[in-house]
Amino acid sequence: MPNLRAHSRAWAELLRLPALFTVPGDAIAGAAATGLRPGRGTALALTSSVCLYEAGMALNDWADRAEDAVDRPHRPLPSGRVAPAAALTAAAALTAAGLSLAARAGRPALTVATALAGTVWAYDLSLKHTKAGPTAMATARALDVLLGATATATAPTHRTGGTPGDGTAARGAHGGPGTAASALPAALAVGAHTLAVTSVSRHETRGGSTAAPLGALATALSLSHAVARPWRAAAGTRDLTRAGLAAAYLTTAGRPFLHAALNPSPPLTQRAVGGGIRALIPLQAALAARSGAPVTALLTAALAPAARHFARLVSVT
């Protein structure tokens, strides 16, 4: 039993279990932006994005195993608790599972998922330590939002006729409300936040950067202001829900960003990265509320306590 517990903890660290709770909100925010009721396609997109995200976590540690042996020897691979081959196998298997789930939601969803998987693998294997790294990570997270929107808008439950494979399901991929394209603002918002957090994370092992957390703080201020304003007509409790979630986002992200800007030490920079990752949940919830889905927004926000709880047990970075 102790060995099983230690083995499970090692994999929880490898896959960054607390960060997993930030993933469902991407598909949920994308689905809400379409104005359609979440359905089978949304569920498939959500599970697909979870698989692809965890594939990226495993691949990240496999690709960084030599660097982690110097900077973070306690990580599962350099400490010998997880074999490198096992991590790479998990990454490949999770990628295959994610693409298979997306394929069940239709060709448009599979197309987006393939682009997402390609971006994740490119980031981990070649782009992470280049200037294009933060942009690649932001692109992956934006594509995750679009995956939820595409699967929701083009899944068979939202078709008006036709036969499988005749292209009818793809009609929801273009145009205004009720289509995947309507999720572009939400995707850009999540992408902008991810770009800011990833820029800060490039300094988490050595610290020393004031500009990155200051830029991230400015991004959080801008996004909180943007999501607090209605997109579609909303009133009363919807306004309060949206404003409250925007405030929760700014508090979760802004405070650690400010602390890291004032004292860019490695511990505070790492705390800023962790706070920025967890802040994705209230941001996704606020975006859903802004799209006129307050109940969905509150359900998304309910993931935050679980993320905080597991972050006390397993590092999110």
Side-chain angles (χ1 to χ4, degrees), residues 23-91:
V23 180
D26 286 344
I28 292 171
T34 67
L36 299 171
R37 185 185 300 275
R40 176 176 176 271
T42 310
L44 288 169
L46 192 155
T47 51
S48 172
S49 66
V50 166
C51 289
L52 294 176
Y53 183 86
E54 293 293 39
M57 293 296 100
L59 184 64
N60 175 79
D61 274 29
W62 181 84
D64 286 354
R65 62 194 185 280
E67 177 184 337
D68 285 345
V70 176
D71 294 332
R72 294 192 281 190
H74 61 280
R75 291 294 299 162
L77 268 63
S79 66
R81 289 177 293 149
V82 175
L88 183 59
T89 300

Side-chain angles (χ1 to χ4, degrees), residues 24-291:
D26 286 344
I28 292 171
T34 67
L36 299 171
R37 185 185 300 275
R40 176 176 176 271
T42 310
L44 288 169
L46 192 155
T47 51
S48 172
S49 66
V50 166
C51 289
L52 294 176
Y53 183 86
E54 293 293 39
M57 293 296 100
L59 184 64
N60 175 79
D61 274 29
W62 181 84
D64 286 354
R65 62 194 185 280
E67 177 184 337
D68 285 345
V70 176
D71 294 332
R72 294 192 281 190
H74 61 280
R75 291 294 299 162
L77 268 63
S79 66
R81 289 177 293 149
V82 175
L88 183 59
T89 300
L94 285 165
T95 299
L99 293 176
S100 177
L101 287 163
R104 296 181 63 185
R107 291 178 186 173
L110 177 59
T111 299
V112 177
T114 300
L116 171 56
T119 303
V120 168
W121 280 72
Y123 173 82
D124 283 337
L125 296 181
S126 64
L127 298 178
K128 182 178 182 179
H129 299 293
T130 71
K131 292 182 179 179
T135 301
M137 179 61 78
T139 299
R141 207 80 203 214
L143 285 170
D144 205 26
V145 176
L146 293 177
L147 176 59
T150 302
T152 301
T154 65
T157 52
H158 293 301
R159 290 188 295 174
T160 57
T163 58
D166 69 353
T168 311
R171 292 177 187 169
H174 308 284
T179 67
S182 60
L184 280 173
L188 290 174
V190 171
H193 175 80
T194 304
L195 178 65
V197 175
T198 307
S199 297
V200 175
S201 73
R202 293 165 77 88
H203 306 278
E204 65 179 327
T205 58
R206 293 179 174 83
S209 173
T210 297
L214 275 178
L217 178 60
T219 299
L221 286 167
S222 298
L223 287 175
S224 64
H225 175 70
V227 298
R229 294 182 290 113
W231 183 8
R232 298 193 177 100
T237 56
R238 291 188 179 186
D239 286 335
L240 293 175
T241 300
R242 188 178 61 252
L245 290 169
Y249 161 67
L250 182 58
T251 301
T252 305
R255 185 179 300 169
F257 286 159
L258 177 60
H259 291 167
L262 295 174
N263 179 11
S265 63
L268 288 182
T269 302
Q270 291 166 14
R271 193 173 302 172
V273 175
I277 292 172
R278 291 191 301 275
L280 275 164
I281 296 175
L283 175 60
Q284 294 156 344
L287 289 167
R290 185 171 180 256
S291 298

